[in-house]
Amino acid sequence: MKTFQYKNTTFEVVQGNIVEQEVDVIVNAANSSLLGGGGVDGAIHRAGGPSILEECKKIRAAQGGCSTGEAVVTTAGDLPAQHLVHTVGPVWRGGNDGEMVLLERAYRNSLELAAQKNASSIAFPSISTGAYRFPLDRASYVAVRTAILFLDEGGTIDTVRFVLFGDRDFEIFSEVLDEVTQTMTG
Ligand code: ADP
């Protein structure tokens, strides 16, 4: 595990499985249907049980899914968390299609919803860097930068954990954490 302290918040970068994180809020890298999928989404629904999909279907019936960059909340079923935030990251289309801003929004809206639920800890997977093919170095940069800006603008949360599945992904994310925090926090 790699950690970084910023103001009252601990950033943690860990290699592991998102469904095993004991935090107040686990973030799901969902798709706009909210009906489940592969990767993180599949793992969360498998481990969390059917109640999560039932809640997602109700949200879908009420508001017609979830747009890219937006986020919705459900309970966490059998997962060791209080809530799930389902957010939809952008599909990478080469970088000139607003992908950076949309990914920033996905992180930002997730943090805001967690704060609304009075969460003191949140765990993120690497949104968009699987099936959606967002390059991991750029995605890591957006993830860390957005969390720091959220705190600078008055957001409060004790622990922000980034969970990387593979060891190479963990290394890249850790390097980016160093770079961004040195640049943004002196
Ligand atoms: P997206 O569709 O947003 O790209 P994916 O779920 O396909 O989301 O992948 C996002 C990232 O999460 C990828 O780097 C993938 O390797 C990783 N990943 C897949 N399953 C898990 C898991 N159970 N826990 C943590 N990370 C995971």
Side-chain angles (χ1 to χ4, degrees), residues 16-21 28-31 38-44 46 87-90 124-134 136 163-166 169:
N17 190 331
I18 192 72
V19 304
E20 293 170 3
Q21 305 305 312
N28 181 17
N31 61 57
V40 167
D41 207 0
I44 282 178
R46 274 195 304 278
T87 191
V88 182
F124 285 97
S126 181
I127 300 163
S128 282
T129 66
Y132 286 179
R133 302 182 313 275
F134 208 115
L136 185 74
V163 181
L164 287 307
F165 217 25
D169 284 359

Side-chain angles (χ1 to χ4, degrees), residues 5 23 50-51 61 67 82 84 98 101 107 119 125 132 168 173 175:
Q5 187 72 27
V23 286
S51 66
S67 307
Q82 303 300 313
L84 285 171
V101 172
Y107 277 100
Y132 286 179
R168 184 69 191 130
F173 204 108
E175 282 166 24

Side-chain angles (χ1 to χ4, degrees), residues 4 13-14 16 37 40-41 45 57 62 97 109 119-120 145 147 149 184:
F4 174 75
V13 183
V14 303
V40 167
D41 207 0
H45 284 283
K57 282 182 180 164
D97 205 30
N109 285 322
S120 62
R145 181 175 177 278
L149 288 176
M184 290 186 74

